[in-house]
């Protein structure tokens, strides 16, 4: 699967509990009346959804940077142009 598909699945999985929590809260059908529990539930859902997405996207970025770095290291030195990597003449 692509990284975008995995990110979409993660987003859907972590956001799906929000409407369910709303439904059981006092604004919904009112199964939970304790305001503290409702607020803690909202906080927990927000932390899990947002931080898991942030950490996943950071991991995707790190994997991309590592692949790019490996690709650059495997390219021959002549691909950097005439005069070496920095374009200057080496002392010698």
């Amino acid at each position: 699967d692509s990284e975008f598909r995995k990110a979409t699945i993660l987003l859907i999985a972590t956001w799906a509990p929000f409407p369910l929590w709303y439904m059981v809260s006092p604004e919904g059908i009112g199964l939970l009346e304790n305001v503290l529990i409702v607020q803690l539930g909202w906080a927990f859902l927000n932390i899990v959804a947002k931080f898991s997405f942030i950490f996943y996207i950071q991991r995707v970025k790190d994997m991309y940077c590592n692949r790019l770095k490996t690709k650059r290291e495997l390219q021959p030195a002549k691909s950097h142009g005439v005069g070496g990597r920095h374009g200057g003449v080496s002392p010698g």
Side-chain angles (χ1 to χ4, degrees):
D1 286 342
S2 74
E3 301 302 331
F4 291 113
R5 180 170 169 76
K6 290 176 187 175
T8 302
I9 292 169
L10 177 66
L11 195 70
I12 291 169
T14 57
W15 282 49
F18 280 90
L20 300 174
W21 190 251
Y22 179 82
M23 196 179 311
V24 299
S25 73
E27 292 89 8
I29 58 176
L31 289 177
L32 293 174
E33 296 292 332
N34 189 337
V35 175
L36 179 62
I37 298 222
V38 171
Q39 293 300 320
L40 287 174
W42 287 125
F44 176 77
L45 290 174
N46 274 301
I47 289 169
V48 168
K50 292 174 180 157
F51 278 92
S52 62
F53 190 73
I54 288 168
F55 289 138
Y56 179 73
I57 294 299
Q58 183 65 38
R59 196 184 106 211
V60 170
K61 184 193 92 91
D62 290 343
M63 289 186 324
Y64 172 76
C65 288
N66 287 338
R67 280 194 309 262
L68 191 61
K69 181 180 174 186
T70 303
K71 184 178 178 182
R72 286 180 180 161
E73 288 173 353
L74 293 176
Q75 289 179 348
K78 66 180 180 181
S79 67
H80 295 292
V82 177
R85 184 176 191 166
H86 301 289
V89 177
S90 61

